[in-house]
Amino acid sequence: MHTGLFHSIDFERDGKHLSHLGIPFSVDRSPYYQVKIPICRIRNGSGPRVLLMAGNHGDEYEGEICLTRLVRRIEPDMIRGELTILPFANHPAVMAARRRSPLDEGNLNRAFPGDPSGTPTFRMAHFLESELFPRHDVVVDLHSGGTSMEHLPCALIERQGPPERFARALDLMKAMGLAYGFVAENGASAPTSMAGAARAGAIGLSGEFGGGGTATRDSVRGTERALDNLLLKLGMVETPPFGTDPSAFETMTILALESHEQAIFATHRGWFEPAVALGDRVEAGDLAGWYHDFERIDRPEEELRFQRGGIVLSRRLHTDCRSGDCLIQVARIVGEAG
């Protein structure tokens, strides 16, 4: 199969192997340049087949840190089955500390199913959906809010596929042990990794574990704990590889985004001051924050109010805002899963 990407991975070989994916791309300094993306394969006989990936957006660091640590820590005798670790899915974006790739301005999580003849971001998306995702039972794509956003820590699944697959995805999401779970409604043709995993026949799991273009003790530890819980639930490991306490919340609050009315967007230049914090429960009409005009200080600040009620899911961290920026989001509470 022509994927527009080169690799030497032997998927049938037992043991631990660290190699690179190579994507040809023309640059001025090197006529035969390839984007080199590290990948690790650990196989120990038959069992669960799991792909862990991060760096879909380059400035989301919890997953990148945890998966590079896992590459160094995990050995074949610690697992049963097949584990593929891809810490920097959009490697150029990671190295540039950007959400999108500096090579082609590509947002990998909007590039699926990709194009084997396209630019590096679209070639990577095509390889993932056409070759890597179908080789795994479970695909885990770790995210956070990135440089400009803080996000409520939560696990995420898409409402896709046959009912039994969705039920299994919901069960695995609960097992990750976070206080909140999020059910996305992007549809089967969405250009996201989770939709790509579903089209490839795999169960897709994702999550948001921090934000602000940084990593904290709590955000990294929370990511490690979610991965430990998941690998234990899948029966891939008997001992949590990160050594966290594999406990979980007794119940998970399930959230959903269904309308643009659950967000407040800037319509002109301004400076945003929030009135609420992540995780707050709000009602329609409640005060979300204030929008200041530093160029017209004689004008009073504008009150921003929620159109829908629910849980505050994310907010913009940069106070200076432009028209079109999403300032804050609230997710509807669907229910609880125990």
Side-chain angles (χ1 to χ4, degrees):
M1 177 188 297
H2 170 51
T3 63
L5 181 152
F6 300 99
H7 69 84
S8 58
I9 303 169
D10 183 352
F11 289 99
E12 305 306 317
R13 182 182 172 190
D14 276 357
K16 179 178 180 178
H17 311 283
L18 184 62
S19 60
H20 291 83
L21 310 174
I23 303 176
F25 186 70
S26 177
V27 297
D28 290 337
R29 71 172 188 277
S30 180
Y32 303 115
Y33 175 75
Q34 288 186 6
V35 180
K36 289 296 188 181
I37 305 166
I39 187 169
C40 183
R41 277 280 295 177
I42 305 102
R43 189 177 189 271
N44 185 15
S46 61
R49 303 179 303 162
V50 180
L51 169 62
L52 303 178
M53 58 182 277
N56 190 326
H57 295 133
D59 61 348
E60 299 175 359
Y61 296 111
E62 286 81 2
E64 297 164 15
I65 289 170
C66 291
L67 294 192
T68 53
R69 179 174 290 141
L70 188 62
V71 167
R72 296 188 293 269
R73 182 171 296 185
I74 201 82
E75 297 296 337
D77 62 0
M78 298 170 62
I79 73 164
R80 180 178 66 88
E82 304 176 32
L83 180 63
T84 305
I85 305 173
L86 186 65
F88 316 123
N90 194 342
H91 188 268
V94 175
M95 294 297 107
R98 291 181 52 181
R99 179 176 178 84
R100 301 180 300 162
S101 169
L103 298 182
D104 58 8
E105 299 301 327
N107 178 345
L108 181 58
N109 212 35
R110 303 295 184 270
F112 292 88
D115 180 354
S117 300
T119 58
T121 302
F122 285 87
R123 290 190 182 204
M124 186 62 180
H126 183 266
F127 171 76
L128 289 169
E129 182 164 335
S130 66
E131 183 164 347
L132 210 54
F133 289 174
R135 295 180 180 273
H136 296 84
D137 307 309
V138 176
V139 172
V140 183
D141 186 7
L142 302 170
H143 284 262
S144 73
T147 303
S148 66
M149 180 183 289
E150 67 170 349
H151 204 291
L152 187 71
C154 62
L156 183 148
I157 58 175
E158 288 270 7
R159 190 182 297 279
Q160 289 183 6
E164 60 272 15
R165 186 194 298 165
F166 178 74
R168 176 61 171 162
L170 183 61
D171 185 49
L172 292 175
M173 181 175 75
K174 288 158 44 182
M176 293 174 76
L178 281 78
Y180 296 95
F182 186 80
V183 179
E185 306 274 359
N186 292 318
S189 62
T192 63
S193 63
M194 292 295 92
R199 290 190 292 265
I203 291 174
L205 297 169
S206 186
E208 305 283 353
F209 293 93
T214 188
T216 68
R217 179 196 63 183
D218 290 343
S219 67
V220 171
R221 202 60 173 165
T223 308
E224 292 178 337
R225 181 170 169 268
L227 290 172
D228 276 348
N229 282 336
L230 179 62
L231 294 176
L232 286 165
K233 174 68 174 181
L234 290 167
M236 174 163 272
V237 300
E238 294 183 357
T239 302
F242 291 106
T244 64
D245 175 11
S247 58
F249 289 90
E250 292 185 4
T251 60
M252 172 183 278
T253 301
I254 306 298
L255 307 173
L257 280 177
E258 301 148 327
S259 168
H260 291 296
E261 292 185 351
Q262 291 170 272
I264 298 175
F265 293 89
T267 58
H268 56 87
R269 177 79 183 277
W271 287 260
F272 176 54
E273 175 193 357
V276 293
L278 295 186
D280 284 355
R281 296 199 176 203
V282 299
E283 301 293 336
D286 284 355
L287 183 67
W290 300 269
Y291 207 54
H292 299 265
D293 187 346
F294 287 0
E295 297 174 319
R296 295 291 302 273
I297 61 173
D298 57 316
R299 291 184 176 181
E301 63 270 30
E302 177 186 357
E303 288 189 351
L304 303 175
R305 295 187 178 274
F306 292 107
Q307 296 184 70
R308 302 285 184 92
I311 294 282
V312 178
L313 183 68
S314 66
R315 77 165 180 94
R316 179 171 170 81
L317 286 170
H318 296 171
T319 301
D320 186 358
C321 303
R322 305 286 178 123
S323 178
D325 286 336
C326 180
L327 305 179
I328 199 163
Q329 284 184 309
V330 60
R332 183 173 70 87
I333 301 171
V334 176
E336 292 187 334

